[in-house]
C-alpha cells in the first residue's frame, strides 16, 4: 500500500434502542481487515448525520425525510407504556389507550411515535428527552409511551412497562445516502439481509461458479460414440457401414448369397 492510499473503514450509526451487536460480529468475521466504528446518534439527528458524511450507513427510525436517503425497513417494535410498579395498570398483561385517559402522558421532545392525537392528559411541559421523561415517571408525575427497546434501555427497578394496544408503532430501518452506495455499504446490506458469505449478491460474496460447457462435451461425446458405432459397423464382415440396421440387412444379404450356392450339384460330363 502506498502512502497516498487510505485504509478502508466503515462507520455505522445507530439510534437509541437499537442493538447492532449481531451485525457487527458478522462484519468482523467476514471483513476482519476493515474496522467498523459505531456512532451513537439521537433519532432526530440520524438523517443529517448520514447526509453530512458522519457515517456510511445507520440504523434509523422511520420515516426518513427526503429522497436522498435509501432505507431498508427491518422490523417494527412493540409499543409499551412505562409506569411505576404500584400503578393500577401493572396488574394487567396489556393496556389500551382508553385506559390512560385519566393519566398524565408525558411527551418528550425526542418522541419517536407519530401521534395523530396524544392519549391521556397533557403535562405542563414537554421533557427534553426520553431519559428525562423516565425520571418523571419514577417521580410519579405521569406515564410514558415508548417503543419497547427504549423502555428496556432506560429500565429502572422501581418502574415496569406493559404492552399498549391500538397505539402507533416505531419501525427500524437501515439507511444510507443514495449517492454513496459503496462496496462496503453493499457488504453491510448483505449482512443485514442475512445473505451468506457465498451469496451471488454483494461485493464480498464468492464469485458465481461458471457453468460447465456440458453441451459441448455432450456433443463431442455423441460424435465420438457415433464414430465408434460406425467404425464397428464398418468392421462387421456381414454388413456395410450402415450401423445396426444396415448390419441386419447385410446378414440377410449374406443369407441370400448363400442360398444361391445351395441347390442340386451339376453332374460333370
Amino acid at each position: 500500500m502506498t502512502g497516498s492510499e487510505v485504509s478502508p473503514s466503515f462507520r455505522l450509526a445507530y439510534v437509541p434502542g437499537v442493538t447492532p451487536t449481531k451485525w457487527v460480529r458478522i462484519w468482523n468475521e467476514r471483513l476482519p481487515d476493515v474496522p467498523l466504528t459505531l456512532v451513537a446518534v439521537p433519532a432526530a439527528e440520524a438523517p443529517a448525520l448520514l447526509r453530512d458524511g458522519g457515517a456510511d450507513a445507520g440504523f434509523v427510525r422511520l420515516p426518513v425525510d427526503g429522497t436522498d436517503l435509501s432505507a431498508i425497513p427491518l422490523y417494527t417494535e412493540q409499543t409499551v407504556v412505562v409506569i411505576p410498579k404500584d400503578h393500577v395498570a401493572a396488574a394487567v398483561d396489556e393496556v389500551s389507550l382508553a385506559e390512560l385517559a385519566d393519566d398524565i402522558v408525558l411527551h418528550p421532545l425526542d418522541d419517536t411515535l407519530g401521534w395523530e392525537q396524544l392519549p391521556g392528559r397533557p403535562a405542563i411541559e414537554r421533557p427534553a428527552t426520553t431519559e428525562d421523561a423516565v425520571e418523571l415517571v419514577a417521580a410519579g408525575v405521569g406515564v410514558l409511551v415508548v417503543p419497547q427497546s427504549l423502555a428496556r434501555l432506560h429500565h429502572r427497578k422501581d418502574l415496569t412497562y406493559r404492552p399498549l394496544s391500538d397505539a402507533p408503532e416505531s419501525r427500524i430501518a437501515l439507511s444510507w445516502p443514495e449517492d454513496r452506495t459503496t462496496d462496503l455499504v453493499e457488504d453491510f446490506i448483505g449482512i443485514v439481509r442475512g445473505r451468506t458469505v457465498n451469496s451471488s449478491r454483494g461485493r464480498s460474496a464468492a464469485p458465481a461458479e461458471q457453468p460447465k460447457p456440458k453441451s459441448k462435451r455432450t456433443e463431442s461425446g455423441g460424435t465420438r460414440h457415433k464414430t465408434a458405432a460406425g467404425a464397428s459397423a464398418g468392421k462387421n464382415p456381414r454388413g456395410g457401414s450402415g450401423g445396426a440396421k444396415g448390419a441386419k440387412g447385410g446378414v440377410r444379404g449374406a443369407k441370400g448369397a448363400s442360398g444361391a450356392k445351395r441347390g442340386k450339384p451339376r453332374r460333370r460330363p
Side-chain angles (χ1 to χ4, degrees):
M1 181 176 69
T2 64
S4 60
E5 293 178 340
V6 179
S7 178
S9 62
F10 191 76
R11 295 161 300 170
L12 178 67
Y14 67 102
V15 298
V18 174
T19 305
T21 307
K22 176 183 68 174
W23 297 298
V24 172
R25 175 181 54 80
I26 299 174
W27 175 279
N28 291 333
E29 291 173 354
R30 295 188 184 180
L31 296 110
D33 297 330
V34 182
L36 186 151
T37 303
L38 291 174
V39 182
V41 58
E45 299 176 14
L49 179 75
L50 294 174
R51 290 189 181 98
D52 295 341
D56 299 292
F59 292 108
V60 303
R61 292 189 182 274
L62 295 176
V64 176
D65 295 332
T67 58
D68 57 335
L69 295 178
S70 296
I72 300 175
L74 300 178
Y75 58 90
T76 301
E77 286 198 71
Q78 169 73 57
T79 301
V80 301
V81 55
V82 180
I83 53 177
K85 283 191 173 180
D86 59 356
H87 193 280
V88 63
V92 300
D93 294 331
E94 187 177 73
V95 182
S96 67
L97 286 177
E99 292 176 285
L100 300 179
D102 296 330
D103 286 284
I104 293 177
V105 179
L106 302 167
H107 188 212
L109 294 176
D110 63 353
D111 178 65
T112 59
L113 300 171
W115 292 102
E116 293 183 1
Q117 182 177 358
L118 291 171
R121 297 157 49 201
I124 297 176
E125 294 182 358
R126 293 184 64 181
T129 66
T130 298
E131 186 176 5
D132 293 336
V134 170
E135 294 293 332
L136 293 175
V137 174
V141 174
V143 300
L144 175 65
V145 178
V146 291
Q148 183 172 320
S149 65
L150 294 182
R152 291 175 175 173
L153 178 65
H154 301 294
H155 173 70
R156 289 174 53 114
K157 292 183 179 180
D158 53 347
L159 300 179
T160 186
Y161 59 85
R162 291 291 181 269
L164 186 63
S165 62
D166 57 26
E169 297 176 319
S170 178
R171 293 187 298 160
I172 300 296
L174 176 66
S175 182
W176 68 94
E178 187 173 354
D179 61 351
R180 295 199 296 272
T181 309
T182 64
D183 288 339
L184 292 179
V185 170
E186 289 285 3
D187 287 334
F188 196 77
I189 292 172
I191 290 173
V192 170
R193 282 184 162 173
R195 297 175 194 156
T196 65
V197 70
N198 293 323
S199 171
S200 60
R201 300 184 64 182
R203 181 181 64 86
S204 62
E209 184 179 355
Q210 295 296 327
K212 297 179 181 180
K214 293 182 179 180
S215 59
K216 290 185 178 181
R217 286 205 298 269
T218 302
E219 292 173 1
S220 176
T223 302
R224 287 197 299 269
H225 176 73
K226 186 175 181 180
T227 303
S232 175
K235 292 180 180 180
N236 188 342
R238 295 183 177 181
S241 57
K245 189 173 181 180
K248 187 175 180 181
V251 172
R252 287 198 298 266
K255 288 181 179 181
S258 175
K261 293 181 179 181
R262 293 193 193 104
K264 296 181 180 181
R266 296 181 179 179
R267 294 181 181 181
R268 293 182 179 180

